[in-house]
Amino acid sequence: MKIGVIGGGQLGRMLALAGTPLGMNFAFLDPAPDACAQALGEHIRADYGDQDHLRQLADEVDLVTFEFESVPAETVAFLSQFVPVYPCAESLRIARDRWFEKSMFKELSIPTPAFADIQSQADLDAAAASIGLPAVLKTRTLGYDGKGQKVLRAASDVVDAFAELGSVPCLLEGFVPFSGEVSLVAVRGRDGETRFYPLVHNTHDSGILSLSVASSDHPLQALAEDYASRVLNKLNYVGVLAFEFFEVDGGLKANEIAPRVHNSGHWTIEGAECSQFENHLRAVAGLPLGSTAKVGESAMLNFIGEVPDVRKVMAIDDCHLHHYGKAFKVGRKVGHATLRCADRATLDAKIAAVQALIAQA
Amino acid sequence: MKIGVIGGGQLGRMLALAGTPLGMNFAFLDPAPDACAQALGEHIRADYGDQDHLRQLADEVDLVTFEFESVPAETVAFLSQFVPVYPCAESLRIARDRWFEKSMFKELSIPTPAFADIQSQADLDAAAASIGLPAVLKTRTLGYDGKGQKVLRAASDVVDAFAELGSVPCLLEGFVPFSGEVSLVAVRGRDGETRFYPLVHNTHDSGILSLSVASSDHPLQALAEDYASRVLNKLNYVGVLAFEFFEVDGGLKANEIAPRVHNSGHWTIEGAECSQFENHLRAVAGLPLGSTAKVGESAMLNFIGEVPDVRKVMAIDDCHLHHYGKAFKVGRKVGHATLRCADRATLDAKIAAVQALIAQA
């Protein structure tokens, strides 16, 4: 079976590493000449709107999936004429726009911070007054890793904020005094079967995920699965979907969903029986889903900007290096390490050891 | 770092799957147009003696390694002029010739079945008389998976046996009434550090490995490690080496070594903290060795000739499919499954489940 992937970055690369042992081949459509997934499959170098090359991809593969959600709707619609596309166009339409996403949460009675659609500075002024400050202004589309957003703490921050984010459609979101951030990586098969990985505690640094720690028997696991199930079934979703939540007063408020394999699920490569990458491929290919059970105690640490001394990373037993083969650049995700340990105390000690290497880099 | 591999079969493929996350790239030199490793790296399609293409490989890569031991000595010598080659030429010279191999065991006081060098039918007649029957006649080089050997049970089997194996240099080996076959996968770094995986119990079917089960606290582990250490240090070996033993009267008799990653080590992909493939690459690249600790209870079942219904294989939780992407052919290794379970009873039940699928295929 040949899988087409829109995007050829590290998520495509890790999909191919998971899918090759299943007997799958891969083609990646990505305009970047140095797309790092190309080591593991065919690289169709073209823009996402290039219909000739999209048609070539569709003709070569059995199905198409995505490694990012900002794929133009026209691209999805075009491909869907020729080849099965998972997740479906509607899933991408919702997930790539914060207004649609938040409105869906509301419709499904999933708690989420107060929010308002912002089409102008006047909208923002009115929403800031009704929602109150602090609040976060985010572009409706194309935001990631803390980009395309601004925290509004005082009235002076509100002035001109709409223009500062480019005068594009935005969402204003009430600030939530959360005690933690957790994510749930879920997978739904073509037949509607769902499976869920253990909740993950996430820590961010300058808006970019730095550390994910898989939980054991998290008290909010069942609640998170309930919320995620509503979304998965509403969208008739197929594949892996990541759901980010704020922990607030012992409950959860939905932050956002990502209709794809997700950075907070990278620990599953070694830390779960079947990884998020393999499970995404199993789902889109109509194969039985794999076990989401945890194997030991596991965490993931991102390498941002550069990979620390690989010799030192590899010298830590239980530490698994994932080098994306990308050029190093400030703020860029260039690799990660997964830890898998027998107990939590060992895990915590090894997290500290990897963090020390990151600090030295 | 770019790694050159002589041979582009499933072992090369699994090396690349392990090395890509370490930031390595791969080039495979293999004459087969359908060499299955080519999905994961550059394929230099050439004969193993083709010096122009060997030179091309040497110029492109940082070091060269092998996925099979029958590489011509001239190939190793030629490559070694231009690029580091691991394991070294002497390791390959010994390992690919049963006479050199057995003689080394004897020199290192490692017990091994009685053996004799056979250059003619007259040699065979004499050796059969002194060693006694039953015995096994094996070609000194190029034998694998039960090929290139003949069991001699009666005097009538001895007549013409040398001609039957092609009148090439052979080894006669006394038959050993063994209670089991075990293998030890060992790795030695450039700095001389050694690590060992747990002993594996192997079951063969028509001379081809069918099942490997990793042991826990095997009483012969220390002895096997002692024997393997003698060989590794004698050869100043770098990389993974597999050592096959017969279990005889509560001790071990050396059968053979393989100077490469080995089929009986495939379970380590999921069943050990760091796989044999990653550890081989770490060793040849001069990086720190990874942990050989077992993760759960693990076994490997070979798919010979064809891969069973992948849907059914994948429906078994804890079962990991490894499809080599090769055309199906009687007697050919085309894939394997790894099982990783919490306890031995579960493992045994799942081994039976996979065996049932193999029987149906």
Side-chain angles (χ1 to χ4, degrees), chain B:
Chain B
M1 181 178 286
K2 190 164 179 180
I3 311 284
V5 184
I6 304 297
Q10 66 265 24
L11 301 181
R13 183 174 160 106
M14 289 185 275
L15 282 169
L17 285 169
T20 301
L22 306 182
M24 295 171 175
N25 294 305
F26 291 84
F28 305 95
L29 188 140
D30 193 312
D34 59 348
C36 71
Q38 67 187 281
L40 302 166
E42 181 186 355
H43 180 200
I44 299 176
R45 190 179 159 193
D47 289 326
Y48 299 121
D50 177 336
Q51 294 198 347
D52 287 344
H53 284 97
L54 288 170
R55 184 62 202 264
Q56 179 196 334
L57 179 74
D59 286 347
E60 284 184 15
V61 303
D62 296 291
L63 62 90
V64 169
T65 188
F66 306 92
E67 62 141 38
F68 67 109
E69 58 267 44
S70 305
V71 179
E74 302 72 28
T75 300
V76 182
F78 181 80
L79 284 168
S80 298
Q81 296 173 262
F82 310 109
V83 68
V85 173
Y86 300 107
C88 64
E90 176 64 4
S91 300
L92 289 166
R93 188 184 73 85
I94 299 284
R96 76 173 154 251
D97 185 309
R98 296 182 193 280
W99 169 252
F100 296 151
E101 186 179 53
K102 287 282 200 287
S103 301
M104 178 183 66
F105 295 156
K106 197 170 172 182
E107 180 194 340
L108 296 174
S109 304
I110 300 170
T112 191
F115 64 97
D117 184 28
I118 306 297
Q119 299 282 343
S120 65
Q121 183 65 39
D123 284 351
L124 177 57
D125 293 337
S130 69
I131 290 176
L133 298 184
V136 189
L137 186 66
K138 301 175 174 181
T139 58
R140 274 178 53 171
T141 62
L142 296 171
Y144 70 100
D145 287 350
K147 292 172 188 164
Q149 56 181 270
K150 185 181 182 193
V151 180
L152 312 179
R153 299 182 192 281
S156 59
D157 294 332
V158 178
V159 179
D160 293 334
F162 184 69
E164 282 170 42
L165 285 187
S167 300
V168 294
C170 284
L171 192 90
L172 186 70
E173 203 178 287
F175 187 80
V176 176
F178 57 87
S179 58
E181 292 176 87
V182 293
S183 58
L184 183 74
V185 175
V187 59
R188 185 171 182 277
R190 284 201 211 165
D191 60 358
E193 186 192 357
T194 54
R195 296 200 183 190
F196 305 92
Y197 290 94
L199 274 170
V200 174
H201 283 274
N202 297 316
T203 307
H204 292 79
D205 188 2
S206 306
I208 305 178
L209 182 67
S210 56
L211 171 67
S212 290
V213 182
S215 65
S216 295
D217 303 319
H218 196 292
L220 297 172
Q221 181 77 29
L223 184 64
E225 291 186 11
D226 174 25
Y227 292 160
S229 296
R230 296 181 204 178
V231 169
L232 292 168
N233 294 325
K234 166 78 177 170
L235 296 172
N236 193 21
Y237 193 87
V238 174
V240 160
L241 179 137
F243 208 133
E244 293 186 55
F245 297 99
F246 299 118
E247 279 188 277
V248 185
D249 297 333
L252 296 171
K253 281 187 191 283
N255 179 20
E256 62 181 28
I257 55 172
R260 54 170 168 81
V261 289
H262 192 255
N263 197 167
S264 71
H266 290 1
W267 66 274
T268 62
I269 298 176
E270 286 89 9
E273 190 58 34
C274 178
S275 77
Q276 67 165 346
F277 299 99
E278 181 171 337
N279 253 332
H280 181 72
L281 293 168
R282 286 176 178 235
V284 299
L287 293 164
L289 301 183
S291 167
T292 52
K294 211 164 53 136
V295 179
E297 297 296 324
S298 187
M300 187 280 319
L301 296 105
N302 264 341
F303 296 142
I304 314 288
E306 63 187 305
V307 173
D309 185 336
V310 295
R311 197 171 285 274
K312 291 180 180 168
V313 173
M314 293 168 99
I316 300 173
D317 268 354
D318 310 334
C319 184
H320 298 269
L321 172 64
H322 296 269
H323 193 301
Y324 303 155
K326 293 160 72 171
F328 295 172
K329 187 175 151 189
V330 174
R332 193 179 208 197
K333 292 174 180 171
V334 293
H336 74 267
T338 308
L339 294 167
R340 176 178 59 190
C341 303
D343 57 76
R344 184 58 193 257
T346 307
L347 180 68
D348 288 340
K350 300 216 168 176
I351 289 172
V354 177
Q355 286 174 326
L357 294 180
I358 292 172
Q360 284 167 24

Side-chain angles (χ1 to χ4, degrees), chain A residues 13 20-21 273 286 311 320 323, chain B residues 20-21 273 286 311 320 323:
Chain A
R13 182 173 161 109
T20 301
E273 190 58 35
R311 196 171 287 274
H320 299 269
H323 193 301
Chain B
T20 301
E273 190 58 34
R311 197 171 285 274
H320 298 269
H323 193 301

